[in-house]
mmCIF file of all heavy atoms in Angstrom:
data_model
loop_
_atom_site.group_PDB
_atom_site.id
_atom_site.type_symbol
_atom_site.label_atom_id
_atom_site.label_comp_id
_atom_site.label_asym_id
_atom_site.label_seq_id
_atom_site.Cartn_x
_atom_site.Cartn_y
_atom_site.Cartn_z
ATOM 1 N N SER A 1 22.754 99.702 100.518
ATOM 2 C CA SER A 1 23.024 99.847 99.082
ATOM 3 C C SER A 1 23.869 101.101 98.899
ATOM 4 O O SER A 1 24.071 101.878 99.836
ATOM 5 C CB SER A 1 21.707 99.948 98.307
ATOM 6 O OG SER A 1 20.989 101.097 98.701
ATOM 7 N N ALA A 2 24.353 101.299 97.681
ATOM 8 C CA ALA A 2 25.153 102.479 97.319
ATOM 9 C C ALA A 2 26.389 102.625 98.208
ATOM 10 O O ALA A 2 26.756 103.721 98.608
ATOM 11 C CB ALA A 2 24.307 103.743 97.353
ATOM 12 N N THR A 3 27.039 101.514 98.507
ATOM 13 C CA THR A 3 28.255 101.520 99.316
ATOM 14 C C THR A 3 29.480 101.692 98.424
ATOM 15 O O THR A 3 29.409 101.562 97.208
ATOM 16 C CB THR A 3 28.422 100.205 100.089
ATOM 17 O OG1 THR A 3 28.545 99.148 99.157
ATOM 18 C CG2 THR A 3 27.251 99.949 100.999
ATOM 19 N N VAL A 4 30.604 101.933 99.051
ATOM 20 C CA VAL A 4 31.888 101.904 98.384
ATOM 21 C C VAL A 4 32.665 100.747 98.993
ATOM 22 O O VAL A 4 32.717 100.628 100.217
ATOM 23 C CB VAL A 4 32.657 103.230 98.586
ATOM 24 C CG1 VAL A 4 34.051 103.150 98.002
ATOM 25 C CG2 VAL A 4 31.886 104.393 98.008
ATOM 26 N N GLY A 5 33.222 99.904 98.168
ATOM 27 C CA GLY A 5 33.961 98.759 98.675
ATOM 28 C C GLY A 5 35.217 98.498 97.879
ATOM 29 O O GLY A 5 35.308 98.864 96.700
ATOM 30 N N TRP A 6 36.210 97.901 98.514
ATOM 31 C CA TRP A 6 37.457 97.554 97.857
ATOM 32 C C TRP A 6 38.132 96.422 98.627
ATOM 33 O O TRP A 6 37.782 96.153 99.761
ATOM 34 C CB TRP A 6 38.383 98.769 97.757
ATOM 35 C CG TRP A 6 38.836 99.317 99.080
ATOM 36 C CD1 TRP A 6 39.999 99.018 99.742
ATOM 37 C CD2 TRP A 6 38.134 100.237 99.915
ATOM 38 N NE1 TRP A 6 40.055 99.707 100.933
ATOM 39 C CE2 TRP A 6 38.921 100.474 101.065
ATOM 40 C CE3 TRP A 6 36.904 100.900 99.816
ATOM 41 C CZ2 TRP A 6 38.529 101.315 102.100
ATOM 42 C CZ3 TRP A 6 36.517 101.757 100.843
ATOM 43 C CH2 TRP A 6 37.331 101.953 101.958
ATOM 44 N N THR A 7 39.082 95.774 97.999
ATOM 45 C CA THR A 7 39.885 94.771 98.678
ATOM 46 C C THR A 7 41.309 95.279 98.799
ATOM 47 O O THR A 7 41.805 95.972 97.909
ATOM 48 C CB THR A 7 39.884 93.422 97.938
ATOM 49 O OG1 THR A 7 40.304 93.614 96.601
ATOM 50 C CG2 THR A 7 38.511 92.790 97.957
ATOM 51 N N ASP A 8 41.957 94.941 99.900
ATOM 52 C CA ASP A 8 43.343 95.356 100.097
ATOM 53 C C ASP A 8 44.293 94.257 99.625
ATOM 54 O O ASP A 8 43.864 93.216 99.124
ATOM 55 C CB ASP A 8 43.594 95.770 101.547
ATOM 56 C CG ASP A 8 43.430 94.645 102.560
ATOM 57 O OD1 ASP A 8 43.531 93.467 102.187
ATOM 58 O OD2 ASP A 8 43.194 94.965 103.739
ATOM 59 N N SER A 9 45.582 94.495 99.755
ATOM 60 C CA SER A 9 46.595 93.569 99.240
ATOM 61 C C SER A 9 46.621 92.229 99.963
ATOM 62 O O SER A 9 47.198 91.259 99.451
ATOM 63 C CB SER A 9 47.977 94.219 99.308
ATOM 64 O OG SER A 9 48.310 94.514 100.661
ATOM 65 N N THR A 10 45.992 92.127 101.135
ATOM 66 C CA THR A 10 45.950 90.868 101.866
ATOM 67 C C THR A 10 44.625 90.121 101.699
ATOM 68 O O THR A 10 44.401 89.100 102.327
ATOM 69 C CB THR A 10 46.236 91.089 103.370
ATOM 70 O OG1 THR A 10 45.242 91.949 103.923
ATOM 71 C CG2 THR A 10 47.615 91.685 103.579
ATOM 72 N N GLY A 11 43.717 90.674 100.872
ATOM 73 C CA GLY A 11 42.460 89.997 100.583
ATOM 74 C C GLY A 11 41.292 90.390 101.453
ATOM 75 O O GLY A 11 40.205 89.829 101.323
ATOM 76 N N ASN A 12 41.477 91.347 102.365
ATOM 77 C CA ASN A 12 40.361 91.816 103.186
ATOM 78 C C ASN A 12 39.439 92.704 102.353
ATOM 79 O O ASN A 12 39.894 93.457 101.490
ATOM 80 C CB ASN A 12 40.882 92.636 104.376
ATOM 81 C CG ASN A 12 41.666 91.799 105.340
ATOM 82 O OD1 ASN A 12 41.230 90.748 105.758
ATOM 83 N ND2 ASN A 12 42.862 92.262 105.683
ATOM 84 N N LEU A 13 38.148 92.615 102.622
ATOM 85 C CA LEU A 13 37.156 93.472 101.975
ATOM 86 C C LEU A 13 36.859 94.652 102.882
ATOM 87 O O LEU A 13 36.606 94.473 104.076
ATOM 88 C CB LEU A 13 35.870 92.685 101.723
ATOM 89 C CG LEU A 13 34.648 93.489 101.279
ATOM 90 C CD1 LEU A 13 34.889 94.057 99.884
ATOM 91 C CD2 LEU A 13 33.400 92.648 101.313
ATOM 92 N N TRP A 14 36.901 95.844 102.330
ATOM 93 C CA TRP A 14 36.572 97.066 103.061
ATOM 94 C C TRP A 14 35.240 97.598 102.539
ATOM 95 O O TRP A 14 34.978 97.542 101.339
ATOM 96 C CB TRP A 14 37.670 98.099 102.880
ATOM 97 C CG TRP A 14 38.943 97.711 103.549
ATOM 98 C CD1 TRP A 14 39.883 96.842 103.072
ATOM 99 C CD2 TRP A 14 39.404 98.156 104.819
ATOM 100 N NE1 TRP A 14 40.901 96.714 103.976
ATOM 101 C CE2 TRP A 14 40.638 97.524 105.051
ATOM 102 C CE3 TRP A 14 38.910 99.035 105.770
ATOM 103 C CZ2 TRP A 14 41.378 97.731 106.207
ATOM 104 C CZ3 TRP A 14 39.652 99.241 106.914
ATOM 105 C CH2 TRP A 14 40.872 98.605 107.130
ATOM 106 N N LEU A 15 34.427 98.114 103.436
ATOM 107 C CA LEU A 15 33.088 98.599 103.100
ATOM 108 C C LEU A 15 32.874 99.940 103.795
ATOM 109 O O LEU A 15 33.092 100.060 105.000
ATOM 110 C CB LEU A 15 32.047 97.589 103.598
ATOM 111 C CG LEU A 15 30.579 97.898 103.374
ATOM 112 C CD1 LEU A 15 30.252 97.755 101.897
ATOM 113 C CD2 LEU A 15 29.730 96.960 104.206
ATOM 114 N N PHE A 16 32.465 100.941 103.007
ATOM 115 C CA PHE A 16 32.207 102.257 103.589
ATOM 116 C C PHE A 16 30.805 102.730 103.245
ATOM 117 O O PHE A 16 30.406 102.764 102.077
ATOM 118 C CB PHE A 16 33.213 103.295 103.095
ATOM 119 C CG PHE A 16 32.893 104.682 103.591
ATOM 120 C CD1 PHE A 16 33.138 105.021 104.906
ATOM 121 C CD2 PHE A 16 32.317 105.615 102.761
ATOM 122 C CE1 PHE A 16 32.815 106.283 105.395
ATOM 123 C CE2 PHE A 16 31.997 106.886 103.213
ATOM 124 C CZ PHE A 16 32.257 107.211 104.537
ATOM 125 N N GLY A 17 30.077 103.157 104.279
ATOM 126 C CA GLY A 17 28.820 103.879 104.153
ATOM 127 C C GLY A 17 27.751 103.225 103.318
ATOM 128 O O GLY A 17 27.629 102.010 103.237
ATOM 129 N N GLY A 18 26.937 104.090 102.708
ATOM 130 C CA GLY A 18 25.836 103.648 101.887
ATOM 131 C C GLY A 18 24.511 104.126 102.454
ATOM 132 O O GLY A 18 24.443 105.033 103.279
ATOM 133 N N ASP A 19 23.460 103.506 101.983
ATOM 134 C CA ASP A 19 22.106 103.821 102.422
ATOM 135 C C ASP A 19 21.509 102.520 102.959
ATOM 136 O O ASP A 19 21.412 101.535 102.238
ATOM 137 C CB ASP A 19 21.279 104.338 101.250
ATOM 138 C CG ASP A 19 19.865 104.712 101.648
ATOM 139 O OD1 ASP A 19 19.699 105.327 102.713
ATOM 140 O OD2 ASP A 19 18.934 104.376 100.903
ATOM 141 N N GLY A 20 21.163 102.500 104.231
ATOM 142 C CA GLY A 20 20.644 101.263 104.797
ATOM 143 C C GLY A 20 20.370 101.373 106.278
ATOM 144 O O GLY A 20 19.959 102.414 106.767
ATOM 145 N N TYR A 21 20.633 100.286 106.977
ATOM 146 C CA TYR A 21 20.258 100.155 108.380
ATOM 147 C C TYR A 21 21.499 100.011 109.258
ATOM 148 O O TYR A 21 22.377 99.198 108.981
ATOM 149 C CB TYR A 21 19.372 98.925 108.575
ATOM 150 C CG TYR A 21 18.112 99.005 107.767
ATOM 151 C CD1 TYR A 21 18.048 98.476 106.481
ATOM 152 C CD2 TYR A 21 16.996 99.631 108.288
ATOM 153 C CE1 TYR A 21 16.893 98.566 105.731
ATOM 154 C CE2 TYR A 21 15.827 99.718 107.531
ATOM 155 C CZ TYR A 21 15.781 99.192 106.259
ATOM 156 O OH TYR A 21 14.637 99.284 105.519
ATOM 157 N N ALA A 22 21.551 100.785 110.319
ATOM 158 C CA ALA A 22 22.617 100.657 111.305
ATOM 159 C C ALA A 22 22.117 99.718 112.403
ATOM 160 O O ALA A 22 21.697 98.605 112.123
ATOM 161 C CB ALA A 22 22.994 102.027 111.855
ATOM 162 N N GLU A 23 22.103 100.175 113.653
ATOM 163 C CA GLU A 23 21.631 99.331 114.756
ATOM 164 C C GLU A 23 20.139 99.504 115.042
ATOM 165 O O GLU A 23 19.619 98.877 115.941
ATOM 166 C CB GLU A 23 22.441 99.620 116.022
ATOM 167 C CG GLU A 23 23.851 99.115 115.948
ATOM 168 C CD GLU A 23 24.607 99.271 117.248
ATOM 169 O OE1 GLU A 23 24.465 100.306 117.920
ATOM 170 O OE2 GLU A 23 25.344 98.349 117.598
ATOM 171 N N SER A 24 19.472 100.346 114.282
ATOM 172 C CA SER A 24 18.033 100.538 114.480
ATOM 173 C C SER A 24 17.301 100.202 113.184
ATOM 174 O O SER A 24 17.923 100.017 112.142
ATOM 175 C CB SER A 24 17.739 101.985 114.879
ATOM 176 O OG SER A 24 17.920 102.839 113.769
ATOM 177 N N ASP A 25 15.985 100.168 113.238
ATOM 178 C CA ASP A 25 15.224 99.865 112.036
ATOM 179 C C ASP A 25 14.925 101.121 111.215
ATOM 180 O O ASP A 25 14.113 101.093 110.318
ATOM 181 C CB ASP A 25 13.927 99.113 112.378
ATOM 182 C CG ASP A 25 13.011 99.894 113.284
ATOM 183 O OD1 ASP A 25 13.355 101.021 113.683
ATOM 184 O OD2 ASP A 25 11.939 99.368 113.602
ATOM 185 N N TYR A 26 15.619 102.223 111.506
ATOM 186 C CA TYR A 26 15.474 103.446 110.740
ATOM 187 C C TYR A 26 16.484 103.434 109.605
ATOM 188 O O TYR A 26 17.692 103.339 109.820
ATOM 189 C CB TYR A 26 15.701 104.674 111.648
ATOM 190 C CG TYR A 26 15.631 105.978 110.890
ATOM 191 C CD1 TYR A 26 14.409 106.492 110.478
ATOM 192 C CD2 TYR A 26 16.781 106.676 110.582
ATOM 193 C CE1 TYR A 26 14.334 107.674 109.778
ATOM 194 C CE2 TYR A 26 16.723 107.855 109.876
ATOM 195 C CZ TYR A 26 15.494 108.351 109.474
ATOM 196 O OH TYR A 26 15.435 109.532 108.762
ATOM 197 N N ARG A 27 15.985 103.535 108.370
ATOM 198 C CA ARG A 27 16.866 103.525 107.202
ATOM 199 C C ARG A 27 17.359 104.940 106.919
ATOM 200 O O ARG A 27 16.616 105.900 107.009
ATOM 201 C CB ARG A 27 16.113 102.989 105.990
ATOM 202 C CG ARG A 27 16.990 102.878 104.785
ATOM 203 C CD ARG A 27 16.223 102.361 103.590
ATOM 204 N NE ARG A 27 17.127 102.333 102.467
ATOM 205 C CZ ARG A 27 17.253 101.334 101.631
ATOM 206 N NH1 ARG A 27 16.495 100.282 101.761
ATOM 207 N NH2 ARG A 27 18.105 101.391 100.644
ATOM 208 N N GLY A 28 18.640 105.051 106.552
ATOM 209 C CA GLY A 28 19.196 106.359 106.232
ATOM 210 C C GLY A 28 20.626 106.254 105.741
ATOM 211 O O GLY A 28 21.134 105.174 105.454
ATOM 212 N N LYS A 29 21.274 107.402 105.641
ATOM 213 C CA LYS A 29 22.672 107.477 105.187
ATOM 214 C C LYS A 29 23.606 106.991 106.278
ATOM 215 O O LYS A 29 23.454 107.339 107.443
ATOM 216 C CB LYS A 29 23.029 108.911 104.818
ATOM 217 C CG LYS A 29 22.165 109.501 103.727
ATOM 218 C CD LYS A 29 22.415 108.816 102.410
ATOM 219 C CE LYS A 29 21.581 109.461 101.319
ATOM 220 N NZ LYS A 29 21.477 108.662 100.130
ATOM 221 N N LEU A 30 24.588 106.199 105.868
ATOM 222 C CA LEU A 30 25.566 105.630 106.788
ATOM 223 C C LEU A 30 26.946 106.198 106.490
ATOM 224 O O LEU A 30 27.297 106.430 105.342
ATOM 225 C CB LEU A 30 25.588 104.105 106.648
ATOM 226 C CG LEU A 30 24.274 103.405 106.963
ATOM 227 C CD1 LEU A 30 24.277 101.991 106.391
ATOM 228 C CD2 LEU A 30 24.062 103.383 108.449
ATOM 229 N N GLY A 31 27.750 106.399 107.528
ATOM 230 C CA GLY A 31 29.111 106.879 107.380
ATOM 231 C C GLY A 31 30.088 106.000 108.143
ATOM 232 O O GLY A 31 31.031 106.505 108.742
ATOM 233 N N ASP A 32 29.856 104.714 108.136
ATOM 234 C CA ASP A 32 30.695 103.793 108.893
ATOM 235 C C ASP A 32 31.676 103.050 107.978
ATOM 236 O O ASP A 32 31.444 102.903 106.787
ATOM 237 C CB ASP A 32 29.836 102.798 109.671
ATOM 238 C CG ASP A 32 28.781 102.107 108.823
ATOM 239 O OD1 ASP A 32 28.658 102.422 107.627
ATOM 240 O OD2 ASP A 32 28.068 101.251 109.362
ATOM 241 N N LEU A 33 32.782 102.598 108.552
ATOM 242 C CA LEU A 33 33.802 101.856 107.817
ATOM 243 C C LEU A 33 33.974 100.487 108.466
ATOM 244 O O LEU A 33 34.125 100.395 109.694
ATOM 245 C CB LEU A 33 35.128 102.615 107.852
ATOM 246 C CG LEU A 33 36.316 101.929 107.168
ATOM 247 C CD1 LEU A 33 36.090 101.794 105.667
ATOM 248 C CD2 LEU A 33 37.597 102.707 107.449
#
């Protein structure tokens, strides 16, 4: 949740960070794109 997202001129969706789950079951702040 609390991600930042946008679409580019070719229709791709971009997603950055938020609060959630990475590769483990530990929930926290994410800084991935």
Side-chain angles (χ1 to χ4, degrees):
S1 62
T3 63
V4 175
W6 64 95
T7 55
D8 64 22
S9 61
T10 61
N12 294 310
L13 170 67
W14 291 80
L15 179 72
F16 175 74
D19 182 42
Y21 300 91
E23 289 186 320
S24 72
D25 60 359
Y26 177 75
R27 184 181 178 134
K29 301 292 183 196
L30 299 163
D32 51 357
L33 178 65

